[in-house]
Amino acid sequence: MSVPALEALEKRVLEAKTLETIRWALETYPDLLMTSGFNLNGTVLVDLAVRAGFRGELVFIDTLSHFPETLRTRDDVAVRYPEITLTTLTPEGDTLPACGSADCCTVRKVLPLRTFLEARQPSALLSARSRFQSETRAILNTVEDAGDYVKVNPLVEWSQADLEDYAKRRELPVNPLYWQGFLSIGCAPTTRAVRGGEDVRAGRWEGQEKTECGLWWGDKAI
Ligand code: SF4
């Protein structure tokens, strides 16, 4: 068998294992919720989750400073997957912190999601993070204890090439900014395209020590 044929088989095995993980999560946690920022990972996970039988709620946090392309991707995903319910959260208050300021992510992202989760109290969340994305994510496990709920990360083993190959093969509605070098897409004021040799999240919060918005890292931030 040729090397490309073997590589294609490896990808199919990875896909099958991932579908099985999501099916396990759906059986174990029937009230499972998904969150997505409509990066490449997120769109791939939505497609896999729907294939695995997910018919629940997909939560998007609109910080009111996203790229227009991200909002259009969210809308494209909603059209492509009518099986799922898309919920958009927005920050509270008339005056929001300046983009990139110390408490910006807390007010625009963390608090809206925390409020939502406290009301909904899901037993588990499905997350699209992968180990290759950054040093801080290199130690991710498939299942994490987040205190009040469990986080299931079915894409931990996926590489960037695996994600791109799957997205192309399935003709997924990927955020067009991704193909322009925005390998991790957050809010417009604090995201830039990645340069050659940088890790995929290097374009987030340039010039700041921060590498995660607080939704998924730290002392059970969410
Ligand atoms: S990613 Fe940037 S602009 Fe968006 S909420 Fe966080 S600090 Fe604010």
Side-chain angles (χ1 to χ4, degrees):
M1 189 177 286
S2 67
V3 171
L6 271 175
E7 286 174 354
L9 278 182
E10 282 291 338
K11 287 187 195 303
R12 294 306 166 103
V13 171
L14 179 65
E15 192 178 312
K17 279 163 49 181
T18 306
L19 287 166
E20 200 48 46
T21 298
I22 300 170
R23 287 191 194 104
W24 167 83
L26 288 169
E27 278 177 26
T28 310
Y29 308 107
D31 62 342
L32 185 78
L33 291 178
M34 283 185 74
T35 59
S36 181
F38 299 107
N39 277 276
L40 175 65
N41 282 52
T43 304
V44 166
L45 184 58
V46 170
D47 189 75
L48 285 160
V50 171
R51 287 180 60 201
F54 179 73
R55 298 293 181 268
E57 197 165 3
L58 173 64
V59 180
F60 170 69
I61 308 167
D62 185 354
T63 60
L64 308 181
S65 55
H66 280 295
F67 290 100
E69 289 88 343
T70 301
L71 301 179
R72 280 202 292 277
T73 303
R74 172 198 59 184
D75 297 342
D76 290 345
V77 167
V79 169
R80 168 125 175 199
Y81 304 99
E83 303 94 332
I84 58 177
T85 302
L86 179 70
T87 297
T88 297
L89 309 179
T90 51
E92 298 264 337
D94 297 330
T95 309
L96 296 174
C99 290
S101 62
D103 57 349
C104 184
C105 278
T106 301
V107 172
R108 291 174 186 258
K109 288 184 176 178
V110 177
L111 291 178
L113 185 58
R114 181 176 292 165
T115 303
F116 175 83
L117 293 177
E118 280 173 358
R120 197 60 58 97
Q121 299 198 339
S123 54
L125 291 189
L126 208 54
S127 160
R129 293 167 300 160
S130 300
R131 290 186 188 129
F132 80 88
Q133 289 177 306
S134 67
E135 283 182 18
T136 53
R137 295 186 178 188
I139 54 171
L140 273 181
N141 289 321
T142 306
V143 180
E144 296 174 90
D145 179 5
D148 295 336
Y149 54 87
V150 160
K151 289 185 220 165
V152 182
N153 308 308
L155 300 183
V156 283
E157 292 179 32
W158 286 57
S159 68
Q160 192 174 353
D162 293 330
L163 294 163
E164 290 182 3
D165 177 73
Y166 182 88
K168 287 176 184 166
R169 194 156 32 87
R170 298 274 301 162
E171 299 182 343
L172 301 187
V174 174
N175 191 327
L177 291 173
Y178 179 84
W179 307 115
Q180 297 167 33
F182 290 77
L183 303 187
S184 173
I185 307 166
C187 298
T190 50
T191 305
R192 65 157 172 81
V194 169
R195 301 178 192 114
E198 291 181 330
D199 80 38
V200 299
R201 288 179 61 80
R204 306 287 297 277
W205 303 289
E206 186 173 38
Q208 299 185 28
E209 286 187 9
K210 182 183 172 89
T211 57
E212 300 278 347
C213 59
L215 292 179
W216 302 112
W217 206 250
D219 184 22
K220 296 174 183 168
I222 283 290

Short mmCIF file of all heavy atoms in Angstrom, two decimals, residues 45-80:
data_model
loop_
_atom_site.label_atom_id
_atom_site.label_comp_id
_atom_site.label_asym_id
_atom_site.label_seq_id
_atom_site.Cartn_x
_atom_site.Cartn_y
_atom_site.Cartn_z
N LEU A 45 -15.73 20.26 14.46
CA LEU A 45 -16.40 19.53 15.55
C LEU A 45 -17.92 19.55 15.40
O LEU A 45 -18.58 18.56 15.68
CB LEU A 45 -16.00 20.13 16.91
CG LEU A 45 -16.57 19.36 18.11
CD1 LEU A 45 -16.13 17.90 18.11
CD2 LEU A 45 -16.17 20.03 19.43
N VAL A 46 -18.47 20.67 14.94
CA VAL A 46 -19.92 20.71 14.73
C VAL A 46 -20.33 19.63 13.73
O VAL A 46 -21.29 18.88 13.94
CB VAL A 46 -20.38 22.10 14.22
CG1 VAL A 46 -21.84 22.05 13.77
CG2 VAL A 46 -20.21 23.15 15.31
N ASP A 47 -19.57 19.53 12.64
CA ASP A 47 -19.91 18.53 11.62
C ASP A 47 -19.83 17.11 12.18
O ASP A 47 -20.74 16.29 11.97
CB ASP A 47 -18.95 18.68 10.43
CG ASP A 47 -19.38 17.83 9.25
OD1 ASP A 47 -20.35 18.21 8.57
OD2 ASP A 47 -18.77 16.76 9.04
N LEU A 48 -18.76 16.83 12.90
CA LEU A 48 -18.61 15.48 13.49
C LEU A 48 -19.71 15.21 14.52
O LEU A 48 -20.26 14.11 14.59
CB LEU A 48 -17.24 15.37 14.15
CG LEU A 48 -16.05 15.22 13.20
CD1 LEU A 48 -14.75 15.60 13.90
CD2 LEU A 48 -15.97 13.79 12.65
N ALA A 49 -20.01 16.23 15.32
CA ALA A 49 -21.02 16.04 16.37
C ALA A 49 -22.39 15.74 15.77
O ALA A 49 -23.10 14.84 16.24
CB ALA A 49 -21.08 17.28 17.27
N VAL A 50 -22.74 16.48 14.73
CA VAL A 50 -24.04 16.22 14.08
C VAL A 50 -24.05 14.81 13.47
O VAL A 50 -25.03 14.07 13.61
CB VAL A 50 -24.36 17.30 13.03
CG1 VAL A 50 -25.58 16.93 12.21
CG2 VAL A 50 -24.58 18.65 13.72
N ARG A 51 -22.94 14.43 12.85
CA ARG A 51 -22.85 13.07 12.29
C ARG A 51 -23.00 12.02 13.39
O ARG A 51 -23.54 10.93 13.16
CB ARG A 51 -21.51 12.87 11.58
CG ARG A 51 -21.40 13.60 10.25
CD ARG A 51 -20.05 13.37 9.61
NE ARG A 51 -19.80 11.96 9.36
CZ ARG A 51 -18.59 11.44 9.19
NH1 ARG A 51 -17.52 12.20 9.24
NH2 ARG A 51 -18.45 10.16 8.96
N ALA A 52 -22.50 12.35 14.59
CA ALA A 52 -22.56 11.38 15.71
C ALA A 52 -23.92 11.38 16.40
O ALA A 52 -24.16 10.55 17.28
CB ALA A 52 -21.46 11.70 16.72
N GLY A 53 -24.78 12.32 16.01
CA GLY A 53 -26.13 12.32 16.59
C GLY A 53 -26.44 13.49 17.49
O GLY A 53 -27.51 13.53 18.10
N PHE A 54 -25.52 14.46 17.60
CA PHE A 54 -25.80 15.62 18.45
C PHE A 54 -26.96 16.43 17.87
O PHE A 54 -26.95 16.79 16.69
CB PHE A 54 -24.53 16.50 18.54
CG PHE A 54 -24.70 17.73 19.38
CD1 PHE A 54 -24.78 17.63 20.76
CD2 PHE A 54 -24.78 18.99 18.80
CE1 PHE A 54 -24.93 18.76 21.55
CE2 PHE A 54 -24.92 20.13 19.57
CZ PHE A 54 -25.00 20.02 20.95
N ARG A 55 -27.94 16.71 18.70
CA ARG A 55 -29.10 17.51 18.26
C ARG A 55 -29.39 18.59 19.30
O ARG A 55 -30.53 19.04 19.43
CB ARG A 55 -30.34 16.60 18.10
CG ARG A 55 -30.18 15.52 17.04
CD ARG A 55 -30.07 16.13 15.63
NE ARG A 55 -29.94 15.11 14.61
CZ ARG A 55 -28.77 14.64 14.15
NH1 ARG A 55 -27.61 15.10 14.65
NH2 ARG A 55 -28.74 13.73 13.20
N GLY A 56 -28.37 18.98 20.04
CA GLY A 56 -28.55 19.92 21.15
C GLY A 56 -28.26 21.35 20.76
O GLY A 56 -28.50 21.79 19.64
N GLU A 57 -27.69 22.06 21.71
CA GLU A 57 -27.52 23.50 21.60
C GLU A 57 -26.04 23.84 21.37
O GLU A 57 -25.16 23.34 22.06
CB GLU A 57 -28.00 24.13 22.92
CG GLU A 57 -28.28 25.59 22.83
CD GLU A 57 -29.09 26.05 24.06
OE1 GLU A 57 -29.37 25.23 24.96
OE2 GLU A 57 -29.41 27.24 24.10
N LEU A 58 -25.82 24.73 20.41
CA LEU A 58 -24.49 25.23 20.11
C LEU A 58 -24.44 26.70 20.54
O LEU A 58 -25.23 27.52 20.05
CB LEU A 58 -24.23 25.11 18.61
CG LEU A 58 -22.94 25.73 18.07
CD1 LEU A 58 -21.71 25.04 18.64
CD2 LEU A 58 -22.92 25.66 16.55
N VAL A 59 -23.52 27.00 21.45
CA VAL A 59 -23.50 28.34 22.05
C VAL A 59 -22.34 29.16 21.49
O VAL A 59 -21.19 28.70 21.47
CB VAL A 59 -23.35 28.23 23.59
CG1 VAL A 59 -23.34 29.61 24.22
CG2 VAL A 59 -24.49 27.38 24.15
N PHE A 60 -22.65 30.34 21.03
CA PHE A 60 -21.65 31.27 20.49
C PHE A 60 -21.69 32.54 21.33
O PHE A 60 -22.77 33.07 21.61
CB PHE A 60 -21.97 31.58 19.03
CG PHE A 60 -21.16 32.71 18.44
CD1 PHE A 60 -19.80 32.55 18.22
CD2 PHE A 60 -21.76 33.92 18.10
CE1 PHE A 60 -19.05 33.59 17.66
CE2 PHE A 60 -21.02 34.95 17.55
CZ PHE A 60 -19.66 34.79 17.33
N ILE A 61 -20.51 33.04 21.72
CA ILE A 61 -20.46 34.29 22.48
C ILE A 61 -20.11 35.42 21.52
O ILE A 61 -18.99 35.48 20.99
CB ILE A 61 -19.41 34.21 23.60
CG1 ILE A 61 -19.64 32.97 24.45
CG2 ILE A 61 -19.45 35.47 24.46
CD1 ILE A 61 -18.49 32.65 25.38
N ASP A 62 -21.06 36.30 21.29
CA ASP A 62 -20.81 37.46 20.43
C ASP A 62 -20.29 38.58 21.32
O ASP A 62 -21.06 39.21 22.05
CB ASP A 62 -22.10 37.88 19.72
CG ASP A 62 -21.83 39.01 18.74
OD1 ASP A 62 -20.67 39.52 18.72
OD2 ASP A 62 -22.75 39.39 18.00
N THR A 63 -19.00 38.83 21.24
CA THR A 63 -18.37 39.85 22.08
C THR A 63 -18.65 41.26 21.57
O THR A 63 -18.20 42.24 22.14
CB THR A 63 -16.85 39.65 22.09
OG1 THR A 63 -16.39 39.75 20.73
CG2 THR A 63 -16.46 38.29 22.65
N LEU A 64 -19.33 41.36 20.46
CA LEU A 64 -19.63 42.61 19.77
C LEU A 64 -18.36 43.21 19.16
O LEU A 64 -18.33 44.41 18.85
CB LEU A 64 -20.33 43.62 20.69
CG LEU A 64 -21.59 43.06 21.41
CD1 LEU A 64 -22.23 44.13 22.29
CD2 LEU A 64 -22.60 42.52 20.40
N SER A 65 -17.32 42.41 19.03
CA SER A 65 -16.11 42.88 18.35
C SER A 65 -15.53 41.80 17.44
O SER A 65 -14.34 41.77 17.18
CB SER A 65 -15.07 43.38 19.35
OG SER A 65 -14.78 42.38 20.30
N HIS A 66 -16.40 40.91 16.96
CA HIS A 66 -15.94 39.86 16.06
C HIS A 66 -15.75 40.39 14.64
O HIS A 66 -16.32 41.41 14.26
CB HIS A 66 -16.97 38.71 16.00
CG HIS A 66 -16.86 37.78 17.17
ND1 HIS A 66 -15.76 36.99 17.40
CD2 HIS A 66 -17.73 37.51 18.17
CE1 HIS A 66 -15.96 36.28 18.50
NE2 HIS A 66 -17.13 36.58 18.99
N PHE A 67 -14.98 39.66 13.86
CA PHE A 67 -14.88 39.94 12.43
C PHE A 67 -16.24 39.64 11.78
O PHE A 67 -16.91 38.67 12.16
CB PHE A 67 -13.85 39.01 11.78
CG PHE A 67 -12.42 39.26 12.15
CD1 PHE A 67 -11.79 38.47 13.10
CD2 PHE A 67 -11.68 40.27 11.53
CE1 PHE A 67 -10.45 38.67 13.43
CE2 PHE A 67 -10.35 40.48 11.88
CZ PHE A 67 -9.74 39.68 12.82
N PRO A 68 -16.61 40.44 10.77
CA PRO A 68 -17.86 40.11 10.04
C PRO A 68 -17.83 38.70 9.47
O PRO A 68 -18.85 38.01 9.41
CB PRO A 68 -17.90 41.16 8.91
CG PRO A 68 -16.93 42.21 9.29
CD PRO A 68 -15.95 41.64 10.26
N GLU A 69 -16.64 38.25 9.07
CA GLU A 69 -16.53 36.90 8.49
C GLU A 69 -16.92 35.83 9.52
O GLU A 69 -17.47 34.78 9.16
CB GLU A 69 -15.09 36.64 8.02
CG GLU A 69 -14.66 37.41 6.78
CD GLU A 69 -14.08 38.79 7.11
OE1 GLU A 69 -14.28 39.28 8.25
OE2 GLU A 69 -13.41 39.36 6.24
N THR A 70 -16.61 36.08 10.79
CA THR A 70 -16.95 35.11 11.83
C THR A 70 -18.47 35.04 12.00
O THR A 70 -19.05 33.96 12.13
CB THR A 70 -16.28 35.50 13.16
OG1 THR A 70 -14.86 35.55 12.95
CG2 THR A 70 -16.61 34.51 14.27
N LEU A 71 -19.11 36.19 11.97
CA LEU A 71 -20.57 36.19 12.12
C LEU A 71 -21.24 35.52 10.91
O LEU A 71 -22.23 34.79 11.06
CB LEU A 71 -21.08 37.63 12.29
CG LEU A 71 -20.48 38.37 13.51
CD1 LEU A 71 -21.02 39.81 13.58
CD2 LEU A 71 -20.81 37.64 14.80
N ARG A 72 -20.66 35.75 9.73
CA ARG A 72 -21.23 35.08 8.55
C ARG A 72 -21.01 33.57 8.62
O ARG A 72 -21.87 32.79 8.23
CB ARG A 72 -20.60 35.65 7.27
CG ARG A 72 -21.21 36.99 6.85
CD ARG A 72 -20.97 37.27 5.37
NE ARG A 72 -19.58 37.50 5.07
CZ ARG A 72 -18.97 38.68 5.22
NH1 ARG A 72 -19.64 39.73 5.64
NH2 ARG A 72 -17.70 38.82 4.93
N THR A 73 -19.86 33.16 9.15
CA THR A 73 -19.61 31.72 9.31
C THR A 73 -20.62 31.11 10.28
O THR A 73 -21.16 30.03 10.04
CB THR A 73 -18.17 31.48 9.82
OG1 THR A 73 -17.26 32.08 8.90
CG2 THR A 73 -17.86 30.01 9.96
N ARG A 74 -20.87 31.83 11.39
CA ARG A 74 -21.89 31.34 12.33
C ARG A 74 -23.22 31.14 11.60
O ARG A 74 -23.89 30.12 11.76
CB ARG A 74 -22.07 32.37 13.46
CG ARG A 74 -23.24 32.06 14.38
CD ARG A 74 -23.67 33.26 15.17
NE ARG A 74 -24.08 34.36 14.29
CZ ARG A 74 -24.44 35.56 14.72
NH1 ARG A 74 -24.42 35.84 15.99
NH2 ARG A 74 -24.80 36.52 13.86
N ASP A 75 -23.60 32.12 10.77
CA ASP A 75 -24.88 32.02 10.06
C ASP A 75 -24.86 30.88 9.05
O ASP A 75 -25.86 30.16 8.88
CB ASP A 75 -25.20 33.35 9.37
CG ASP A 75 -25.38 34.48 10.40
OD1 ASP A 75 -25.60 34.19 11.59
OD2 ASP A 75 -25.28 35.66 10.00
N ASP A 76 -23.72 30.69 8.39
CA ASP A 76 -23.61 29.58 7.42
C ASP A 76 -23.73 28.23 8.12
O ASP A 76 -24.35 27.29 7.60
CB ASP A 76 -22.26 29.64 6.69
CG ASP A 76 -22.17 30.83 5.74
OD1 ASP A 76 -23.21 31.43 5.42
OD2 ASP A 76 -21.03 31.16 5.33
N VAL A 77 -23.12 28.13 9.30
CA VAL A 77 -23.19 26.88 10.06
C VAL A 77 -24.64 26.61 10.47
O VAL A 77 -25.13 25.48 10.39
CB VAL A 77 -22.25 26.94 11.29
CG1 VAL A 77 -22.54 25.80 12.26
CG2 VAL A 77 -20.79 26.89 10.84
N ALA A 78 -25.33 27.66 10.88
CA ALA A 78 -26.73 27.48 11.30
C ALA A 78 -27.59 26.97 10.13
O ALA A 78 -28.48 26.14 10.33
CB ALA A 78 -27.28 28.81 11.83
N VAL A 79 -27.30 27.46 8.94
CA VAL A 79 -28.07 27.02 7.76
C VAL A 79 -27.72 25.58 7.42
O VAL A 79 -28.60 24.76 7.11
CB VAL A 79 -27.79 27.95 6.56
CG1 VAL A 79 -28.36 27.36 5.27
CG2 VAL A 79 -28.38 29.33 6.82
N ARG A 80 -26.44 25.26 7.49
CA ARG A 80 -26.01 23.91 7.09
C ARG A 80 -26.50 22.83 8.07
O ARG A 80 -26.70 21.68 7.67
CB ARG A 80 -24.48 23.87 7.01
CG ARG A 80 -23.91 22.47 6.89
CD ARG A 80 -23.04 22.28 5.72
NE ARG A 80 -22.43 20.96 5.71
CZ ARG A 80 -21.37 20.64 5.02
NH1 ARG A 80 -20.80 21.53 4.25
NH2 ARG A 80 -20.86 19.42 5.05
#
